[in-house]
């Protein structure tokens, strides 16, 4: 997609702000740094960050192939930044996760407490979730609104093992079980620490048990548009 050159921090018209985003990111600190899945920003000649009708240039300042995580520096001042869960995630529990674009038009956002379920996993979070393409990099918010993880892959169960839907042309049969994998908070913290990126963690809930998590996810989230290299 050919996009015009934008100056750092320039506010553009509503038409640009309404472009469909290719991925999602999460404010990880008060300085405006955004964390996302690395594959969202791979091979981008220019990267644009969308937030509340504003489009700005983003700059990749840290990335890891092993973690499939990246941090994008922005000139934005977040109203709220994510707080990582201080302790390992528990077993099965209801969580909330959704892409930036879907969050913008979600009719029941103000009352949405959860929309996905964590299932037992080993090194990554695994969820039963209906998220669609564009959710890579989206926050996984657990009880209390703490950040448990970051969406990375949609997978389906195949005869030879999991099929990565975003990276495979193999067809998935109707009725196939689709699950979503995410980087756990432990991996996110290790990655951020290695790259000296500031973040906050806590065991203290940020929301009450019955408070909607969707509004918090919407506040934390940004959309990402990649102007790919030719």
């Amino acid at each position: 997609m050919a996009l015009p050159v934008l100056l750092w921090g320039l506010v553009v018209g509503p038409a640009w702000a309404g472009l469909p985003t290719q991925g999602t990111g999460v404010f990880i600190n008060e300085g405006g740094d955004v964390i996302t899945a690395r594959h969202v920003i791979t091979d981008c000649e220019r990267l644009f960050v969308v937030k509340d009708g504003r489009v700005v240039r983003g700059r990749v300042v840290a990335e890891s192939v092993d973690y499939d995580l990246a941090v994008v520096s922005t000139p934005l001042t977040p109203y709220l930044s994510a707080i990582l869960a201080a302790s390992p995630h528990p077993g099965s529990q209801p969580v909330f996760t959704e892409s930036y674009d879907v969050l913008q038009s979600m009719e029941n956002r103000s009352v949405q407490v959860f929309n996905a379920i964590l299932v037992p996993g080993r090194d990554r979070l695994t969820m039963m979730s209906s998220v669609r393409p564009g959710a890579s990099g989206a926050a996984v918010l657990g009880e209390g609104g703490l950040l448990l993880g970051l969406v990375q892959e949609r997978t389906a169960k195949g005869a030879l093992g999991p099929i990565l839907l975003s990276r495979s042309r193999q067809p998935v049969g109707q009725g196939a079980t689709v699950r979503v994998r995410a980087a756990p908070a432990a991996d996110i913290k290790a990655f951020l620490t290695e790259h000296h990126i500031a973040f906050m963690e806590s065991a203290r809930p940020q929301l009450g048990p019955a408070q909607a998590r969707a509004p918090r996810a919407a506040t934390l989230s940004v959309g990402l548009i990649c102007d790919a290299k030719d």
Side-chain angles (χ1 to χ4, degrees):
M1 172 175 25
L3 297 176
V5 175
L6 299 181
L7 297 176
W8 182 265
L10 178 65
V11 180
V12 300
W16 288 109
L19 282 173
T21 60
Q22 297 148 330
T24 301
V26 177
F27 285 122
I28 200 62
N29 56 43
E30 296 177 350
D33 290 330
V34 167
I35 189 165
T36 187
R38 180 184 178 273
H39 67 266
V40 172
I41 56 88
T42 302
D43 297 326
C44 293
E45 183 172 355
R46 290 175 295 173
L47 182 64
F48 299 89
V49 181
V50 183
K51 183 63 177 176
D52 298 335
R54 187 179 182 188
V55 181
V56 300
R57 286 288 297 271
R59 178 169 56 89
V60 178
V61 294
E63 58 183 307
S64 169
V65 174
D66 293 337
Y67 287 119
D68 188 21
L69 293 171
V71 171
V72 177
S73 175
T74 80
L76 299 171
T77 301
Y79 177 76
L80 189 71
S81 55
I83 298 179
L84 285 150
S87 57
H89 70 89
S92 180
Q93 67 162 285
V95 296
F96 182 88
T97 186
E98 195 52 89
S99 69
Y100 176 80
D101 280 356
V102 172
L103 281 167
Q104 303 316 297
S105 58
M106 183 178 287
E107 294 182 357
N108 62 342
R109 191 172 74 186
S110 64
V111 296
Q112 186 79 49
V113 179
F114 63 88
N115 64 353
I117 300 291
L118 284 186
V119 296
R122 294 183 179 178
D123 57 339
R124 289 188 177 183
L125 297 183
T126 304
M127 296 171 286
M128 295 177 63
S129 169
S130 61
V131 295
R132 298 184 291 276
S136 288
V140 179
L141 299 183
E143 295 177 0
L146 295 172
L147 184 65
L148 295 184
L150 209 70
V151 171
Q152 291 180 315
E153 290 284 359
R154 295 166 63 247
T155 68
K157 186 177 181 180
L160 301 178
I163 303 169
L164 304 182
L165 297 180
S166 61
R167 307 184 192 184
S168 174
R169 296 181 180 178
Q170 183 176 343
V172 178
Q174 186 175 5
T177 301
V178 177
R179 292 190 175 180
V180 176
R181 298 194 308 181
D187 282 4
I188 296 172
K189 286 185 277 190
F191 165 70
L192 294 172
T193 300
E194 288 176 12
H195 292 276
H196 309 288
I197 305 293
F199 66 92
M200 294 182 290
E201 63 176 321
S202 177
R204 182 178 180 180
Q206 305 300 301
L207 298 174
Q211 280 188 275
R213 301 174 202 171
R216 185 177 181 87
T219 303
L220 296 173
S221 300
V222 303
L224 298 172
I225 298 175
C226 174
D227 186 9
K229 298 176 182 178
D230 295 332

